[in-house]
């Protein structure tokens, strides 16, 4: 994972931020560390969900996300499998159009 960092800003419910701050105090860290860890863990767990993987694949097939983004979400090997399937689907669609 890249050590390059990007600054982000978002709004969250006060109670959620207060809980993150309390957890940071317990860990002897700061809010950013808690939020980055939570986001990393969420993304890791979410991308192991088969339903979500299919939604990610559909977004790739519909050109809503790039191959690089797909790889970041599901890993290079699985992304390569999705790329092969996308090409097969495109080839089948082109063949169907040619038959019309």
């Amino acid at each position: 994972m890249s050590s390059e960092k990007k600054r982000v800003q978002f709004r969250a419910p006060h109670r959620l931020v207060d809980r993150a701050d309390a957890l940071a105090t317990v860990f002897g860290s700061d809010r950013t560390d808690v939020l980055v860890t939570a986001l990393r863990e969420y993304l890791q767990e979410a991308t192991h969900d088969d339903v979500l993987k299919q939604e990610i694949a559909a977004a790739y097939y519909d050109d809503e996300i790039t191959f690089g983004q797909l790889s970041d979400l599901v890993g290079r090997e699985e992304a390569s499998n999705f790329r092969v399937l996308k090409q097969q689907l495109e080839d089948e669609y082109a063949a169907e159009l040619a038959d019309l």
Side-chain angles (χ1 to χ4, degrees):
M1 184 172 291
S2 173
S3 62
E4 189 175 319
K5 298 190 180 204
K6 182 176 186 178
R7 185 173 193 62
V8 296
Q9 182 176 339
F10 62 94
R11 296 185 185 281
H14 285 282
R15 177 103 173 98
L16 188 60
V17 174
D18 291 345
R19 290 175 67 196
D21 289 342
L23 192 56
T25 299
V26 169
F27 289 149
S29 64
D30 61 27
R31 178 190 303 155
T32 298
D33 290 340
V34 170
L35 295 176
V36 167
T37 299
L39 182 58
R40 183 181 301 116
E41 289 175 4
Y42 171 80
L43 291 171
Q44 186 174 5
E45 288 176 22
T47 57
H48 286 84
D49 179 281
D50 288 337
V51 173
L52 182 57
K53 275 188 193 177
Q54 292 308 311
E55 289 182 35
I56 292 168
Y60 174 64
Y61 299 149
D62 292 339
D63 296 319
E64 295 172 6
I65 62 173
T66 66
F67 180 77
Q69 291 170 316
L70 176 67
S71 294
D72 288 344
L73 290 171
V74 299
R76 187 101 176 136
E77 183 177 342
E78 190 148 15
S80 294
N81 292 338
F82 285 137
R83 180 168 46 191
V84 169
L85 182 55
K86 180 180 182 181
Q87 186 61 50
Q88 289 173 343
L89 292 171
E90 289 171 351
D91 291 347
E92 288 175 14
Y93 180 70
E96 286 177 18
L97 287 178
D99 290 341
L100 294 180

